[in-house]
Amino acid sequence: MQLPIDFQPGWAPADIEDASAHRFLFLQGALVVLRDGDGARLPDAAYRDLPIGVLHSVGVLDGRACHMAELSDAELPEGLEAVPLRQLFNRLPEALLAVAGRAQQLLDFARSHRFCGACGHANELFDEGRARRCPACGQVAYPRLAPAMMALIKRDGPNGRELLLAHGARFPGVIYSALAGFVEPSESVEDCLHREVFEEVGLRVKNLRYFGSQCWPFPHSLMIAFVADWASGEIVADPAEILDAAWFHIDALPPLPHQITIARRLINATIAEVAPDHPALSVYGAG
Ligand SMILES: [Zn+2]
């Protein structure tokens, strides 16, 4: 879910006559796509008669405007289907998925900020459409982002590199991943990492190294990922959060997250540090 570097964000009302625009249409929270073999395409201008409410721009991708709207009617014409974004990971190009994630977050913001949270008055558009402002009390709201840390803990034992991977209570399927948790008020991301690691698996870590970040629009996380070295402690998993957590040697990894996730990129990069030609990278990289 990575926006291309030349993507230009936008918020303004859009021109419905722009036939070249990418059209991100949502129906009950799912993206409307056109079936295309095993893949999917965005609906084009041929579907201009769909009951689009208010059309907004979310930006410009490769010189083409990106429009978003919510459909008010549940009847889709033949060939179109409404699919949750998570189910489009292998079906839409990543750049379009990332813009769809942005559109979904902005629609969610518009839906949940129609009224002022302080006094209940109807909000109006503010700051060229990117925010909402209450004309009665002046309260301003911008789209909410929830920063979260991700930590891949590693240790190098006599048999080679081991990664601490956990199967979270909220994970789909049986995948194992790095630890993650939301930043609390007053915390730095690093404070959060140390707290969450100790709460979830009872370990202390050291040598935090920033890896990268990723927007994760389910619904509005910003995942900030680190590699850390094990410092002390034995694994004691918090059963409320973690169903299973263990050290896995890089030659014997469990099912891993999808390659589009920053968790998977973090895991692959940490394996590649010590085993750049390790067969696990290509085998698991296909997922
Ligand atoms: Zn107000």
Side-chain angles (χ1 to χ4, degrees):
M1 305 293 280
Q2 208 82 36
L3 282 171
I5 195 127
D6 56 352
F7 175 79
Q8 301 164 278
W11 295 267
D15 176 11
I16 199 165
E17 299 301 326
D18 182 352
S20 72
H22 295 293
R23 294 159 74 89
F24 298 88
L25 307 177
F26 289 85
L27 177 63
Q28 295 171 355
L31 184 68
V32 174
V33 293
L34 193 58
R35 277 189 291 274
D36 186 10
D38 291 336
R41 289 187 284 131
L42 295 175
D44 55 27
Y47 293 93
R48 61 188 311 136
D49 293 334
L50 290 171
I52 293 169
V54 179
L55 194 68
H56 280 277
S57 167
V58 282
V60 178
L61 178 68
D62 294 333
R64 293 172 65 182
C66 297
H67 293 170
M68 68 171 183
E70 272 192 309
L71 297 181
S72 51
D73 195 320
E75 289 293 319
L76 289 178
E78 181 69 24
L80 290 186
E81 58 182 345
V83 184
L85 281 191
R86 285 175 186 272
Q87 294 173 24
L88 289 169
F89 283 174
N90 290 324
R91 297 178 62 193
L92 268 187
E94 188 176 351
L96 292 178
L97 267 179
V99 180
R102 170 176 164 77
Q104 183 169 275
Q105 287 182 81
L106 294 180
L107 282 173
D108 181 64
F109 169 66
R111 193 186 307 116
S112 58
H113 288 77
R114 292 161 53 219
F115 299 95
C116 173
C119 78
H121 196 281
N123 276 332
E124 59 188 18
L125 296 182
F126 183 66
D127 196 3
E128 300 178 333
R130 78 188 68 185
R132 299 293 182 273
R133 179 183 173 278
C134 173
C137 75
Q139 166 130 316
V140 171
Y142 283 84
R144 178 181 161 202
L145 289 175
M149 76 79 207
M150 172 169 286
L152 180 61
I153 306 168
K154 68 177 179 65
R155 68 179 184 186
D156 293 323
N159 297 320
R161 177 151 293 185
E162 295 180 332
L163 306 179
L164 190 144
L165 298 169
H167 177 55
R170 292 188 295 269
F171 286 5
V174 292
I175 61 164
Y176 281 70
S177 187
L179 301 176
F182 287 106
V183 178
E184 292 278 339
S186 87
E187 276 186 334
S188 68
V189 180
E190 292 85 350
D191 292 339
C192 170
L193 189 153
H194 287 291
R195 176 183 56 76
E196 285 279 355
V197 166
F198 190 71
E199 285 177 5
E200 293 194 347
V201 294
L203 300 182
R204 298 295 184 188
V205 295
K206 61 185 180 183
N207 301 335
L208 273 52
R209 269 103 62 219
Y210 175 68
F211 174 74
S213 67
Q214 183 180 51
C215 161
W216 196 242
F218 306 104
H220 42 231
S221 305
L222 175 63
M223 195 62 81
I224 303 160
F226 292 81
V227 181
D229 293 330
W230 173 79
S232 64
E234 299 296 324
I235 296 172
V236 181
D238 172 8
E241 299 272 340
I242 302 291
L243 298 181
D244 185 35
W247 292 105
F248 290 91
H249 190 273
I250 61 171
D251 287 342
L253 294 170
L256 297 174
H258 192 282
Q259 60 183 333
I260 201 172
T261 62
I262 195 165
R264 181 54 170 276
R265 292 172 185 166
L266 179 61
I267 292 167
N268 284 358
T270 307
I271 294 170
E273 272 178 11
V274 290
D277 300 319
H278 196 291
L281 284 177
S282 56
V283 171
Y284 289 98

